[in-house]
Amino acid sequence: MLTLNAITVRLGGRAILDGASASLPPGSRVGLIGRNGAGKSTLVKAIAGMIEPDAGAIEMPRGARIGYIAQEAPAGETTPFEAVLAADVERARLTAEAETATDPHRISDIHERLIAIDAHAAPARAARILVGLGFDEEAQQRPLDSFSGGWRMRVALAALLFSQPDLLLLDEPSNHLDLEAVMWLEDFLKSYRATIVVVSHERDFLNNVVDHILHLQGGKTTLYAGGYDSFERQRAERMAQLAAARASQDAQRAKLQDYIARNSARASTAKQAQSRAKMLAKLQPIAELADDPSLSFDFPDPDPLRPPLITLDHAAVGYGETPVLKRLNLRLDPDDRIALLGRNGNGKTTLARLIAAQLAPMEGEMAASNRMKVGYFTQYQVEELDADDTPLAHMTRVMPGATPAAVRAQLGRFGFSGDRATGQVGKMSGGEKARLALALITRDAPHLLILDEPTNHLDVDAREALVQALAGYKGAVLIVSHDRHMVELTADRLVLVDGGTAHEFDGSLDDYVALVLAKEPKAEGAKANRKDERRAAAERREAAKEWRKTAREAETELAKLTAQRSAIDHAMFDPAGADQALAKLTMTELMKRRADLTDRIEAAEARWLEASEALEEA
């Protein structure tokens, strides 16, 4: 069991952790969550022994091996495969000793221990982990220095998973992963047999992996059983209880204040008034949820444009003379919500840059509305913000000629009002910088938002606020994200970028998850089954295709029929304000039409329900 006993950590004179306590069950998978800046990484470092608490103690079983990724990515001429194998220090040491040992007894002991730790299976296990995180056989043998920092951090994660520590500490492990690698990691962690503490802001990841949530707020921790959805329900209940207690306390305070005001001056009641004044002074205020500007996202709506916004006809795009993607046929309309799927390196960003007109087509045709404005968000924009400047200065530069009121209004849409607009960017959190970048790219109300990993610096609540803001945005959205929850709630079209082209993925995100996991190596001999698994996944998608079409048609018909019935209801109760055609009908005719519509609505509901149940089975 891992136990935190009143842990206090002060940084720069401020208490980041203030008496944090919790007991984590052995073998539990714990999601450590909290707002940006709450101290999650500080707590993880304290558990890892990298920070000495100012007060309190951390207790765990004697000799427990702790695994934690350092901030520096591995580098050098070593290959990913060699780096991962070297992470099992005991195996590496015994293997090296076996080559030089001369004492027969020692040689026997070495080989017995190598058998005990299953050393002969280590190369296959290392390769499986690397494949799961996106390294094919060729990439596993390249030097680390040939990879970007993000890919080298994947190697560090692979090495950590391979070393199988007794306590696995993961601080936002999905930040350097694509959606496919995140799904593999979820699957891996669900079967991990030791204790896990993982910092994550991804709702689906937490729901699929953890069995406890450790919530860090105000320097203190509260442990909840279950995944993130369960935590949210429990927290909502707790907030409701706090709100009721706060209302009761406010009423009690008002009553005491009224008594004191009326009775302090009278000699006969002065003592009672004095007693109530002491009682009032002892009333401790109940915590209240403050209005949080970090949850502020409000995208300005664009002027309407006729469809299509963009069409690609047999287009190719790439860099220099080398095309990355070919045979691109795609259409974007003003109300489209599209997610690009596919592993990192397959060309998702290249396709996004083509659509944003940052790259020109090398072949074929690309037609775009000449009035269309595009807002393109990337992580580079966050990193390129001037640390010495303010949000107000940044926005003023990109809105030349705009009035100060208009500049501040755009900043206010994203939570930068008042003094927050004049704070130094260098002192802002990653989430605040991401919000500022989004405010900058949407200043002229773009018709198309292209968002490339917009959630990397956002906590769970901020991600939810972003999802809601996108739901209310009246332009088109093209999103690349490893956050499954974000993709699921934002996109209604999926485009798979794979094999040097891009095409519509005919299925849901769940279908895609099943397809990806069917491809991943689970154990020795998995290769032999992959073809059958792919075929089965394809058959499931084909079986679901017609039912999905039926469900969509039923939903459309339901919406239409329900609107017609609402119009009749309006005509029955307010003939003067009703549709002109309906206003001419008698009450009997209206009731007859309503009954007919109700029958058709029930039939459409039955078709939708049948299709939905069939989809679940498929």
Side-chain angles (χ1 to χ4, degrees):
M1 179 180 288
L2 171 64
T3 304
L4 310 177
N5 287 322
I7 301 300
T8 296
V9 175
R10 295 183 181 87
L11 297 175
R14 184 170 72 92
I16 305 297
L17 303 174
D18 188 9
S21 297
S23 294
L24 310 185
S28 57
R29 299 190 297 274
V30 180
L32 176 57
I33 69 168
R35 302 308 307 276
N36 284 339
K40 301 182 296 296
S41 295
T42 300
L43 180 55
V44 170
K45 288 177 181 177
I47 295 171
M50 300 172 66
I51 293 176
E52 185 71 28
D54 295 289
I58 298 172
E59 299 174 4
M60 63 184 73
R62 187 187 298 274
R65 293 182 303 114
I66 300 174
Y68 177 71
I69 295 182
Q71 294 301 312
E72 297 80 20
E77 291 300 311
T78 303
T79 67
F81 184 74
E82 292 167 343
V84 171
L85 276 180
D88 188 338
V89 177
E90 183 183 15
R91 176 189 173 278
R93 178 176 55 78
L94 290 173
T95 302
E97 188 180 353
E99 294 178 357
T100 57
T102 55
D103 180 5
H105 296 293
R106 179 55 187 159
I107 293 173
S108 175
D109 290 342
I110 290 171
H111 285 286
E112 282 184 15
R113 182 56 185 164
L114 287 171
I115 292 170
I117 63 175
D118 203 17
H120 72 284
R125 188 161 59 87
R128 281 202 303 276
I129 292 172
L130 283 166
V131 168
L133 292 175
F135 294 87
D136 59 22
E137 189 172 346
E138 183 273 331
Q140 291 180 31
Q141 303 305 322
R142 283 167 43 197
L144 287 171
D145 281 348
S146 67
F147 292 97
S148 68
W151 281 94
R152 284 186 282 124
M153 287 306 296
R154 289 194 189 202
V155 175
L157 175 59
L160 178 60
L161 300 178
F162 178 77
S163 67
Q164 297 181 306
D166 303 308
L167 173 60
L168 179 59
L169 302 175
L170 299 172
D171 193 347
E172 298 197 50
S174 61
N175 265 7
H176 300 286
L177 305 181
D178 49 31
L179 178 60
E180 293 72 15
V182 170
M183 289 188 287
W184 177 87
L185 181 61
E186 285 180 8
D187 209 45
F188 182 93
L189 294 178
K190 280 189 285 190
S191 59
Y192 195 78
R193 294 182 180 178
T195 303
I196 301 172
V197 176
V198 56
V199 177
S200 178
H201 293 306
E202 296 186 23
R203 181 189 293 259
D204 277 16
F205 183 88
L206 292 167
N207 279 328
N208 292 335
V209 171
V210 309
D211 50 31
H212 287 78
I213 292 288
L214 187 62
H215 185 217
L216 179 56
Q217 184 177 34
K220 300 188 184 298
T221 50
T222 307
L223 187 66
Y224 296 82
Y228 186 83
D229 286 349
S230 174
F231 153 75
E232 207 167 49
R233 284 193 299 270
Q234 294 175 68
R235 184 174 63 161
E237 292 168 3
R238 189 177 180 191
M239 289 300 103
Q241 292 167 357
L242 282 175
R246 194 180 304 118
S248 174
Q249 188 188 74
D250 288 345
Q252 184 184 4
R253 180 179 282 107
K255 189 175 180 180
L256 288 171
Q257 288 171 336
D258 178 64
Y259 185 92
I260 294 165
R262 287 187 294 104
N263 295 282
S264 293
R266 294 164 54 189
S268 59
T269 56
K271 283 189 177 181
Q272 291 90 330
Q274 196 173 34
S275 173
R276 282 165 173 75
K278 291 179 180 177
M279 190 184 302
L280 180 64
K282 289 181 180 179
L283 277 181
Q284 294 295 321
I286 294 172
E288 187 170 7
L289 285 178
D291 181 29
D292 191 342
S294 70
L295 303 183
S296 185
F297 297 90
D298 181 14
F299 298 106
D301 292 326
D303 298 328
L305 282 182
R306 286 186 177 183
L309 291 180
I310 295 175
T311 55
L312 298 177
D313 185 13
H314 289 87
V317 62
Y319 304 91
E321 301 296 321
T322 307
V324 174
L325 299 172
K326 296 180 177 180
R327 306 182 307 282
L328 296 173
N329 297 291
L330 188 65
R331 168 177 167 146
L332 275 78
D333 287 336
D335 59 350
D336 269 335
R337 304 298 170 99
I338 299 175
L340 299 185
L341 306 177
R343 281 201 174 274
N344 284 355
N346 282 3
K348 297 192 298 292
T349 297
T350 301
L351 178 56
R353 292 188 65 192
L354 172 65
I355 293 170
Q358 291 188 1
L359 293 174
M362 302 169 68
E363 300 172 9
E365 298 291 333
M366 174 176 169
S369 171
N370 56 10
R371 290 176 48 217
M372 181 184 65
K373 291 177 283 189
V374 177
Y376 186 15
F377 174 90
T378 71
Q379 289 301 312
Y380 300 113
Q381 291 162 329
V382 176
E383 295 161 6
E384 290 170 359
L385 291 171
D386 189 336
D388 297 324
D389 241 331
T390 66
L392 183 61
H394 278 86
M395 191 63 70
T396 301
R397 275 198 301 274
V398 298
M399 294 180 68
T403 64
V407 171
R408 282 191 173 270
Q410 174 64 8
L411 286 169
R413 287 176 173 272
F414 292 82
F416 296 102
S417 55
D419 292 342
R420 293 188 180 91
T422 55
Q424 198 175 35
V425 169
K427 296 180 180 178
M428 288 163 43
S429 69
E432 289 172 317
K433 292 175 184 175
R435 275 191 295 116
L436 177 56
L438 286 167
L440 293 169
I441 67 160
T442 58
R443 63 190 180 275
D444 56 356
H447 300 90
L448 169 62
L449 273 180
I450 301 177
L451 306 176
D452 194 344
E453 297 293 358
T455 63
N456 272 2
H457 298 288
L458 303 181
D459 56 41
V460 182
D461 292 334
R463 291 178 187 214
E464 201 64 33
L466 178 57
V467 166
Q468 293 175 17
L470 289 172
Y473 170 61
K474 293 183 180 177
V477 176
L478 182 76
I479 188 168
V480 178
S481 178
H482 62 258
D483 187 332
R484 195 185 313 170
H485 181 73
M486 169 70 67
V487 170
E488 205 160 30
L489 294 187
T490 301
D492 50 26
R493 285 176 62 193
L494 303 177
V495 171
L496 178 58
V497 182
D498 189 29
T501 189
H503 57 84
E504 296 273 349
F505 181 76
D506 186 19
S508 67
L509 192 59
D510 286 339
D511 295 329
Y512 183 66
V513 170
L515 178 66
V516 170
L517 292 180
K519 291 179 179 179
E520 300 297 353
K522 301 285 185 181
E524 292 296 334
K527 277 187 179 179
N529 298 322
R530 263 181 241 158
K531 189 174 180 180
D532 293 337
E533 289 171 344
R534 284 197 296 271
R535 186 184 300 114
E539 289 171 357
R540 285 196 298 273
R541 291 199 306 280
E542 191 61 33
K545 184 177 178 180
E546 287 302 315
W547 287 117
R548 188 172 292 104
K549 180 181 177 184
T550 301
R552 282 198 298 265
E553 290 172 349
E555 281 185 50
T556 303
E557 188 177 0
L558 271 172
K560 181 180 175 183
L561 295 173
T562 303
Q564 291 175 4
R565 186 170 68 177
S566 296
I568 288 176
D569 289 340
H570 184 66
M572 291 171 68
F573 293 101
D574 183 19
D579 178 82
Q580 192 173 6
L582 293 176
K584 295 177 181 179
L585 300 177
T586 65
M587 183 62 71
T588 302
E589 289 171 328
L590 288 171
M591 291 177 67
K592 186 177 178 182
R593 283 200 184 188
R594 192 183 192 284
D596 178 58
L597 284 169
T598 299
D599 290 342
R600 291 167 65 189
I601 286 171
E602 289 176 356
E605 285 176 342
R607 289 197 301 278
W608 179 85
L609 185 61
E610 180 187 12
S612 298
E613 290 175 350
L615 272 172
E616 287 183 12
E617 291 176 9

